[in-house]
Amino acid sequence: MDILIFISYIILLCYGVSKFAGNERHRWINAGYVTAFLLPVIVFFLGIRIVGALTGDGIAGGVAGFGYAIVTCVIGFIFLFIGYTSKNVRSD
């Protein structure tokens, strides 16, 4: 069950950023910075709070939150890579 939640989290994050950013380079870069540096902290503490409350175990919540935070950070760096290596497409 946790693997399905994990994979759907990754898919929804990638889909949401790709729809938001589109073909604009600066949006990919902004989304990459937010996803790499801001979201992992939020995801980590939410994971600790939610999983810790559901299972009653703080260690499991910490591990789950840390796992989700690491994946979010890696995806953010992928978005940064896409933003910095893509050509600036303008739709004027």
Side-chain angles (χ1 to χ4, degrees):
M1 182 67 178
D2 189 42
I3 294 294
L4 292 176
I5 295 171
F6 196 66
I7 296 208
S8 45
Y9 168 73
I10 293 170
I11 290 171
L12 285 174
L13 182 64
C14 292
Y15 179 76
V17 168
S18 68
K19 286 299 173 187
F20 167 74
N23 290 330
E24 297 187 25
R25 181 177 179 211
H26 66 90
R27 284 190 179 177
W28 278 101
I29 294 170
N30 290 340
Y33 279 125
V34 168
T35 306
F37 299 114
L38 180 66
L39 280 182
V41 176
I42 296 169
V43 166
F44 176 66
F45 287 114
L46 281 176
I48 288 174
R49 179 72 179 147
I50 291 171
V51 174
L54 288 176
T55 63
D57 188 16
I59 301 272
V63 170
F66 188 70
Y68 281 102
I70 291 296
V71 168
T72 304
C73 189
V74 168
I75 290 173
F77 285 126
I78 291 171
F79 293 157
L80 279 173
F81 179 76
I82 291 171
Y84 280 120
T85 57
S86 67
K87 295 180 180 177
N88 196 6
V89 177
R90 299 185 76 128
S91 59
D92 291 334

